């Protein structure tokens, strides 16, 4: 008969195992030598929330492996023109959460800024940048038409850029970009496709801008990757309402990345990336053929879209 084995209790110093309930603290304790306080704070919070998430949903090993394969596929889908991780962040609402946090901290700076005697209005609301910004778009004179050779309903875009007290900002750079009337950006039209429907303008001495383009159509976010598969599995549609992207920057002001949305577009109530703000919805007013506000004679109907932008002071 085998002799019963008696095991001496392990001295505390020899006990190397970390209990599940102590894991979070153990991981955070390993960050003790981290010299970057913000990075340490971010990582400690991330670890805390990740563990809480796994415990809350009782994550199984096969489920975790599926998630790892999904994240791997998301990374593999990225290249210089395609950013699947941004799309993932956008479709999970995280990009808009980060935009809202940034704008709330900017707004706090505006309201506590030096008084001018004029009541301060908040800056124009920001929204997601999206993946189709293309650095180096042509700088064009005010009044240029981006819609030549692009099918779509001609639209005259105009308005003014001011600070939050209504003072005009001259020489403000305004990058604009949009999809065509079928919902495609130039970057989606093949490797050699030239830039289309994008430009940089500068406001005039009174802060005014005007240019021609087309009325943008609603379109789906790219769905030929893992994020598209995720949306399908979640029973979600991939569409965004029609919008024109705008990025405004001027020395001494906070950069603004936003859109204006077409008021009669489908999907304003269910934008796939949660980017709609009421204050950014613009009536694209139908105009009969005839003389446009800039004197151009239109032989067919067109639209006008008016929007005034306000920038907050700051770097
Ligand atoms: C866009 O508006 O261009 C966009 C934004 C987020 C995801 C995909 C596209
Ligand atoms: Fe877009």
């Amino acid at each position: 008969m085998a002799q019963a084995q008696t095991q001496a209790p392990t001295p505390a110093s020899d006990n190397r195992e970390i209990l599940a309930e102590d894991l979070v603290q153990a991981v955070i304790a390993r960050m003790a030598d981290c010299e970057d306080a913000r990075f340490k704070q971010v990582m400690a919070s991330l670890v805390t929330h990740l563990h809480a998430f796994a415990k809350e949903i009782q994550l199984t090993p096969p489920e975790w492996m599926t998630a790892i394969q999904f994240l791997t596929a998301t990374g593999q889908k990225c290249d210089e023109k395609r950013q699947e991780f941004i799309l993932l962040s956008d479709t999970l609402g995280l990009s808009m959460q980060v935009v809202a946090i940034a704008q709330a901290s900017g707004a706090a700076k505006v309201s506590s800024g030096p008084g001018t005697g004029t009541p301060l209005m908040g800056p124009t609301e920001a929204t997601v940048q999206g993946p189709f910004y293309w650095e180096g778009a042509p700088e064009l004179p005010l009044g240029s038409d981006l819609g030549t050779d692009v099918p779509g309903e001609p639209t005259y875009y105009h308005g003014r850029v001011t600070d939050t007290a209504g003072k005009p900002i001259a020489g403000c750079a305004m990058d604009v970009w949009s999809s065509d009337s079928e919902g495609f950006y130039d970057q989606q039209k093949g490797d050699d496709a030239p830039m289309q429907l994008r430009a940089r303008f500068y406001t005039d001495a009174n802060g005014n801008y005007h240019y021609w383009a087309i009325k943008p159509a609603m379109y789906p976010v790219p769905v030929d990757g893992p994020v598209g598969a995720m949306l399908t599995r979640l029973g979600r549609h991939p569409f965004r309402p029609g919008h024109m992207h705008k990025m405004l920057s001027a020395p001494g002001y906070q950069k603004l990345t936003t859109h204006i949305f077409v008021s009669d577009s489908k999907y304003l109530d269910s934008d796939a990336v949660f980017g709609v703000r009421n204050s950014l919805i613009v009536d694209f007013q139908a105009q009969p053929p005839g003389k446009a506000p800039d004197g151009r004679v239109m032989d067919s109907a067109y639209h006008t879209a008016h929007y005034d932008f306000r920038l907050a002071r700051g770097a």
Side-chain angles (χ1 to χ4, degrees):
M1 203 168 128
Q3 235 186 321
Q5 298 225 331
T6 51
Q7 216 165 359
T10 315
S13 57
D14 286 350
N15 184 4
R16 288 168 175 134
E17 82 181 31
I18 298 166
L19 298 176
E21 68 251 36
D22 297 331
L23 268 171
V24 171
Q25 278 321 310
V27 177
I28 292 172
R30 300 273 173 95
M31 301 176 190
D33 293 338
C34 175
E35 287 173 5
D36 182 333
R38 175 64 176 166
F39 182 52
K40 187 172 167 184
Q41 180 193 20
V42 168
M43 291 306 293
S45 178
L46 181 65
V47 167
T48 305
H49 286 278
L50 279 176
H51 283 248
F53 157 76
K55 281 199 273 187
E56 183 188 311
I57 57 155
Q58 292 290 289
L59 189 65
T60 67
E63 284 170 341
W64 184 222
M65 190 45 67
T66 303
I68 285 174
Q69 282 160 354
F70 171 77
L71 292 172
T72 305
T74 300
Q76 285 166 343
K77 192 74 187 164
C78 297
D79 58 28
E80 299 94 63
K81 284 196 171 172
R82 178 75 179 261
Q83 233 304 351
E84 194 76 355
F85 267 111
I86 294 184
L87 189 57
L88 179 60
S89 162
D90 292 341
T91 52
L92 294 182
L94 188 57
S95 302
M96 272 313 283
Q97 191 67 260
V98 174
V99 165
I101 293 166
Q103 194 149 40
S105 65
K109 274 181 219 140
V110 171
S111 58
S112 61
T116 58
T118 316
L120 289 171
M121 297 171 286
T124 300
E125 288 191 282
T127 188
V128 287
Q129 176 171 318
F132 296 120
Y133 178 68
W134 194 345
E135 191 93 41
E139 290 180 14
L140 297 179
L142 289 172
S144 299
D145 187 354
L146 312 183
T148 353
D149 302 332
V150 185
E153 298 167 35
T155 300
Y156 179 73
Y157 292 84
H158 63 120
R160 188 175 235 208
V161 183
T162 67
D163 67 10
T164 50
K167 184 172 148 277
I169 303 175
C172 175
M174 177 186 284
D175 290 322
V176 305
W177 67 103
S178 86
S179 63
D180 65 17
S181 58
E182 270 139 32
F184 292 105
Y185 284 84
D186 45 10
Q187 288 170 330
Q188 296 174 295
K189 297 181 182 177
D191 286 346
D192 300 328
M195 286 190 177
Q196 196 179 53
L197 286 171
R198 59 177 78 239
R200 171 171 289 185
F201 297 107
Y202 288 93
T203 54
D204 68 15
N206 299 313
N208 291 319
Y209 72 90
H210 65 280
Y211 65 93
W212 288 86
I214 58 158
K215 183 180 177 188
M218 54 109 176
Y219 65 83
V221 300
V223 287
D224 58 339
V227 173
M230 176 194 78
L231 293 178
T232 304
R233 201 164 163 200
L234 288 171
R236 284 177 54 179
H237 74 70
F239 293 100
R240 300 212 63 208
H243 57 273
M244 168 71 66
H245 292 262
K246 306 264 185 178
M247 190 188 283
L248 284 77
S249 49
Y253 294 91
Q254 291 173 34
K255 182 172 168 176
L256 171 71
T257 302
T258 192
H259 318 338
I260 57 169
F261 290 92
V262 179
S263 68
D264 60 358
S265 179
K266 209 173 163 190
Y267 301 113
L268 276 176
D269 293 327
S270 61
D271 181 5
V273 305
F274 309 94
V276 176
R277 289 283 170 268
N278 290 336
S279 67
L280 302 175
I281 299 174
V282 174
D283 203 10
F284 278 56
Q285 290 179 354
Q287 307 289 354
K291 211 171 187 184
D294 63 347
R296 178 176 173 181
V297 178
M298 298 298 292
D299 53 15
S300 60
Y302 64 100
H303 298 273
T304 50
H306 174 259
Y307 198 85
D308 292 335
F309 294 89
R310 292 184 306 276
L311 299 188
R313 285 189 185 277

